[in-house]
């Protein structure tokens, strides 16, 4: 039986030590609170921003002018703008430049060219909203600053369950993996909790390499923990019916397509899109942001594959691109090109869409970063009514941390470690280690889940959803969950962690199916064969999903402006 061997009390608990988590921790610590970060891996190299990034969405008055609304519209029209509450977009933009300046002061180079400049993901003659920066050291810097501000970091402590008491957040259970063979449980009591666990990957079959579970474009250890754990205690989730797919080089599964400076083309050399005819570092080629099914379309109709051609890129822009790749953390791609004798100047690279994942789909937050559960905040890729990737995580982590740090600090922590909820969850997770005979491992369950979501909650293009498919999917998902509970055996702490991730992903899949069944229209890559039209009456409405005493609650609301 898994046992609680350590109980820790703190003012603020941050779950996840990625970009959002570290910024939340620093912000809360600035308020004089005791802050603990519980991280699955090591904060120096964890999360989807582990190896770097080179684009940071912001509003800079000197670059963009005094009218911020122009930039608001640009963000909402961009690849990240589909599921925004405009109220949050405005607050984000007002705070974004101050956060960028903080990063630069701390040692993340936000002006690698010597000045503030925005590049890429842009239309000709339109404002550019993505600051070009060098983020190769961002995790090291944020970890250093957090420690300087007194933040305590618990590495190798993935949080496996949230604990609510008297309708407020009260803490969490973390799996201590520092001794993997005999994992133990740490109970962390907190007056405020900030969730920042990143995307939900491993939910669908990897598009480029189906047999390689971890060949994903984002951190494969980000497995929907925040969405699932909040869902289990009544947290509101929003926009989970909308699939999101990124794109990049085929088979390598590395994002950062805007870092490449070239033109998307058909095999015969014809341009894929109409936006640019000459590659420049200022614009890139925004075709795949606008026509987000392009790479699939050209394969399906036989006119592809689609290639990124950098042969017309100026030498100085190529040098700029290579530096950007290092900033973005595309060192794997650079190493591969070097080993294989490939160069973008001479060789075109095929681009492809990646499998669906949950980014910018998840917890609903208010203008302070707080969820519907008192004291529970969220920041980063698992927020469902705002998305701006690295910048969104940094800014909302900062906002949420500052607000969480102002909560009551002197109140006594309740006796949560002996609650019925904690005992039930510990018994559930302990069962995976107590089986006498090996039956199945977590990998089998995870792959079965991926097949289920691909078959019954498919993401477009060319794949459809319907009432009958989703009802069947929910039934099969329930069967899979029961079989997995009976069969999975985890001989060590690492496999136990992966099994828990797999059950979190099952919860995410269930909510996706509920939400997809409720949205009776086709919109984006949520394609319903039984509702083939886009309903204009739902254009400005978001769908929230949560549980109340075991009852499913689905509610429509207007976008907040």
């Amino acid at each position: 039986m898994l046992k609680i061997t350590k109980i820790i009390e703190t003012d603020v608990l941050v779950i996840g030590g990625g970009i959002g988590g570290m910024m939340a921790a620093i912000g809360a610590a600035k308020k004089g609170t005791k802050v603990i970060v519980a991280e699955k891996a090591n904060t120096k190299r964890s999360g989807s921003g582990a190896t770097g990034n080179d684009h940071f969405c912001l509003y800079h008055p000197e670059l963009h002018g005094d009218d911020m609304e122009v930039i608001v519209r640009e963000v909402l029209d961009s690849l990240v703008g589909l599921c925004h509450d405009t109220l949050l977009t405005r607050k984000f933009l007002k705070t974004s430049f101050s956060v960028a300046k903080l990063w630069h002061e701390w040692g993340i180079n936000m002006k690698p060219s010597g000045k503030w400049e925005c590049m890429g993901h842009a239309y000709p003659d339109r404002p550019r909203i993505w600051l070009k920066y060098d983020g190769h050291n961002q995790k090291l810097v944020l970890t250093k600053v957090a420690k300087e501000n007194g933040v305590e970091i618990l590495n190798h402590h993935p949080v496996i369950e949230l604990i609510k008491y008297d309708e407020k957040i009260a803490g969490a259970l973390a799996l201590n993996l520092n001794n993997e063979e005999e994992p133990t449980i740490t109970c962390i009591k907190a007056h405020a909790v900030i969730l920042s666990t990143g995307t939900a990957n491993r939910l669908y079959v990897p598009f480029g390499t189906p047999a390689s579970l971890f060949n994903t474009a984002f951190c494969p250890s980000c497995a929907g923990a925040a969405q699932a754990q909040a869902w289990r205690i009544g947290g509101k989730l929003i926009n989970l019916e909308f699939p999101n797919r990124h794109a990049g080089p085929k088979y390598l599964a590395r994002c950062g397509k805007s870092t490449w400076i070239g033109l998307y083309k058909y095999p015969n050399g014809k341009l894929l899109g109409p936006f640019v005819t000459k590659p420049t570092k200022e614009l890139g080629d925004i075709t795949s942001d606008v026509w987000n099914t392009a790479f699939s379309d050209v394969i399906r109709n036989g006119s592809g594959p689609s290639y990124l051609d950098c042969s017309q890129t100026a030498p100085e822009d190529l040098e700029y691109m290579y530096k950007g790749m290092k900033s973005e953390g595309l060192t794997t791609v650079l190493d591969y090109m070097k080993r294989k004798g490939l160069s973008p100047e001479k060789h075109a690279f095929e681009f492809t869409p990646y499998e669906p994942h949950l980014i910018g789909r998840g917890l609903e937050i208010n203008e302070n970063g707080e969820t519907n559960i008192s004291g529970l905040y969220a920041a980063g890729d698992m927020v469902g009514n705002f998305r701006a990737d690295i910048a969104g995580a940094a800014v909302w982590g900062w906002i949420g941390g500052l607000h969480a740090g102002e909560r009551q600090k002197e109140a006594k922590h309740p006796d949560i470690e002996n609650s019925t909820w904690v005992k039930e969850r510990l018994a559930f997770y302990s069962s995976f280690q107590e089986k006498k005979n090996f039956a199945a491992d977590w990998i089998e369950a995870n792959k079965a889940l991926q097949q289920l979501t691909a078959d019954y909650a498919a993401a477009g293009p060319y794949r459809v959803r319907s009432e009958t498919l989703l009802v069947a999917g929910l039934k099969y998902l329930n069967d899979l969950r029961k079989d997995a509970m009976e069969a999975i055996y985890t001989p060590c702490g690492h496999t136990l962690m992966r099994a828990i991730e797999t059950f979190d992903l099952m919860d995410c899949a269930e909510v996706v199916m509920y939400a997809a069944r409720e949205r009776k229209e086709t919109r984006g890559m949520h394609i319903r064969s039984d509702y083939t039209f886009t309903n204009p009456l739902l254009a400005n409405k978001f769908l929230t999903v949560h549980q109340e005493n075991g009852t499913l609650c689905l509610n429509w609301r207007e976008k907040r402006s």
Side-chain angles (χ1 to χ4, degrees):
M1 178 75 178
L2 286 169
K3 295 181 180 180
I4 296 175
T5 59
K6 192 173 184 179
I7 298 175
I8 303 173
E9 295 185 355
T10 188
D11 295 320
V12 177
L13 168 63
V14 177
I15 300 175
I19 299 297
M22 297 313 292
M23 287 299 291
I26 296 167
K30 293 284 188 184
K31 292 293 184 177
T33 58
K34 181 181 179 182
V35 182
I36 291 176
V37 175
E39 162 59 39
K40 182 183 295 186
N42 188 302
T43 61
K44 292 180 179 180
R45 210 63 151 184
S46 62
S48 293
T51 57
N53 195 260
D54 74 333
H55 282 82
F56 191 102
C57 183
L58 56 59
Y59 164 63
H60 188 319
E62 293 182 12
L63 294 177
H64 297 131
D66 295 332
D67 186 2
M68 194 184 73
E69 289 304 305
V70 173
I71 307 305
V72 170
R73 290 191 293 272
E74 206 69 26
V75 171
L76 295 177
D77 286 342
S78 75
L79 78 166
V80 300
L82 175 65
C83 295
H84 278 221
D85 272 320
T86 311
L87 176 73
L88 302 186
T89 311
R90 291 192 179 93
K91 183 156 187 177
F92 160 79
L93 288 174
K94 288 177 182 177
T95 313
S96 58
F97 185 45
S98 62
V99 170
K101 288 191 290 186
L102 281 176
W103 276 27
H104 194 68
E105 291 170 10
W106 293 343
I108 302 170
N109 190 358
M110 308 301 284
K111 298 191 289 184
S113 67
K115 61 181 179 180
W116 303 100
E117 63 177 6
C118 293
M119 298 286 179
H121 284 300
Y123 299 96
D125 303 318
R126 292 271 292 272
R128 300 193 296 269
I129 61 175
W130 298 92
L131 181 76
K132 187 75 170 180
Y133 81 105
D134 178 7
H136 79 278
N137 65 339
Q138 58 192 12
K139 292 306 307 298
L140 295 172
V141 169
L142 294 179
T143 298
K144 177 175 177 289
V145 173
K147 289 181 176 179
E148 289 173 349
N149 282 273
V151 175
E152 181 182 354
I153 297 173
L154 299 178
N155 288 319
H156 310 296
H157 276 73
V159 166
I160 59 175
E161 211 68 59
L162 296 174
I163 308 170
K164 190 170 66 171
Y165 181 85
D166 196 23
E167 299 306 312
K168 299 177 182 178
I169 199 68
L173 299 177
L175 189 66
N176 183 350
L177 294 179
N178 286 298
N179 180 357
E180 282 196 359
E181 292 185 3
E182 295 184 16
T184 59
I185 299 295
T186 299
C187 179
I188 308 173
K189 300 181 179 183
H191 298 301
V193 173
I194 304 172
L195 292 168
S196 189
T197 60
T199 54
N201 304 310
R202 307 203 327 258
L203 187 59
Y204 284 82
V205 178
F207 187 78
T209 54
S212 301
L213 198 64
F214 281 72
N215 186 26
T216 65
F218 291 80
C219 177
S221 289
C222 295
Q227 292 96 325
Q229 291 171 20
W231 160 254
R232 291 196 287 268
I233 65 168
K236 281 188 178 181
L237 305 180
I238 192 166
N239 289 319
L240 263 74
E241 69 271 29
F242 291 119
N244 187 85
R245 302 183 72 170
H246 211 69
K250 194 164 188 177
Y251 301 128
L252 287 175
R254 294 297 294 158
C255 296
K257 56 188 173 64
S258 187
T259 306
W260 295 74
I261 303 173
L263 301 173
Y264 294 114
K265 294 182 178 180
Y266 291 96
N268 63 5
K270 181 183 175 182
L271 290 171
L272 202 64
F275 300 104
V276 290
T277 57
K278 182 180 179 180
T280 66
K281 64 182 181 181
E282 288 79 12
L283 300 179
D285 188 345
I286 202 171
T287 297
S288 63
D289 290 356
V290 178
W291 179 16
N292 54 24
T293 65
F295 302 136
S296 298
D297 292 350
V298 298
I299 294 295
R300 186 174 177 85
N301 65 28
S303 62
S306 54
Y307 295 96
L308 188 72
D309 179 6
C310 301
S311 62
Q312 297 173 263
T313 306
E316 60 270 21
D317 281 3
L318 283 171
E319 183 180 354
Y320 188 90
M321 182 182 82
Y322 286 129
K323 289 179 179 178
M325 285 181 163
K326 291 180 180 179
S327 300
E328 174 77 4
L330 297 179
T331 49
T332 301
V333 176
L334 292 170
D335 289 345
Y336 181 82
M337 289 193 293
K338 184 177 180 180
R339 284 189 288 110
K340 297 296 183 180
L342 300 172
S343 64
E345 302 98 306
K346 300 177 181 178
H347 304 99
F349 287 75
E350 184 178 352
F351 272 54
T352 190
Y354 298 139
E355 68 279 357
H357 66 301
L358 301 182
I359 182 172
R361 318 289 191 262
L363 278 86
E364 180 185 51
I365 62 171
N366 64 18
E367 61 272 22
N368 297 326
E370 193 171 11
T371 71
N372 66 302
I373 297 174
S374 179
L376 181 63
Y377 296 77
D381 292 338
M382 17 64 57
V383 169
N385 52 335
F386 181 85
R387 178 191 166 195
D389 298 353
I390 289 284
V395 171
W396 282 107
W398 181 250
I399 292 171
L402 292 175
H403 281 273
E406 293 174 346
R407 299 188 75 89
Q408 185 178 8
K409 305 177 182 67
E410 303 301 328
K412 183 180 177 181
H413 293 281
D415 181 23
I416 57 175
E417 65 270 26
N418 296 313
S419 67
T420 301
W421 172 251
V422 167
K423 290 177 181 178
E424 288 176 353
R425 299 311 292 174
L426 287 182
F428 173 60
Y429 295 131
S430 296
S431 69
F432 301 134
Q433 294 198 299
E434 295 170 353
K435 294 180 176 64
K436 300 294 183 181
N437 300 311
F438 178 83
D441 62 27
W442 68 272
I443 296 177
E444 294 173 76
N446 200 156
K447 288 187 174 180
L449 173 64
Q450 291 179 333
Q451 197 62 57
L452 265 176
T453 54
D455 287 346
Y456 298 98
Y462 310 116
R463 300 291 306 279
V464 298
R465 298 166 168 181
S466 70
E467 177 76 17
T468 52
L469 286 173
L470 291 163
V471 168
L474 285 164
K475 191 273 181 189
Y476 297 146
L477 178 60
N478 186 52
D479 293 344
L480 173 62
R481 195 194 303 269
K482 289 180 179 177
D483 288 346
M485 288 169 60
E486 294 173 359
I488 288 179
Y489 170 64
T490 60
C492 65
H494 179 79
T495 53
L496 176 59
M497 176 187 71
R498 295 299 187 212
I500 292 171
E501 290 174 348
T502 302
F503 279 91
D504 283 344
L505 287 168
M506 290 183 192
D507 283 344
C508 289
E510 182 178 8
V511 182
V512 167
M513 291 182 187
Y514 286 143
R517 189 177 64 178
E518 179 67 15
R519 185 172 281 274
K520 296 176 173 62
E521 65 162 350
T522 288
R523 187 176 295 274
M525 283 185 281
H526 166 72
I527 302 173
R528 290 283 298 255
S529 63
D530 45 354
Y531 294 94
T532 57
F533 57 90
T534 298
N535 186 347
L537 299 178
L538 298 178
N540 292 307
K541 291 184 180 293
F542 285 163
L543 175 65
T544 65
V545 188
H546 71 286
Q547 301 182 87
E548 286 184 11
N549 301 318
T551 300
L552 175 66
C553 302
L554 299 111
N555 295 292
W556 291 94
R557 70 159 175 84
E558 296 288 334
K559 290 184 183 180
R560 296 167 183 159
S561 58

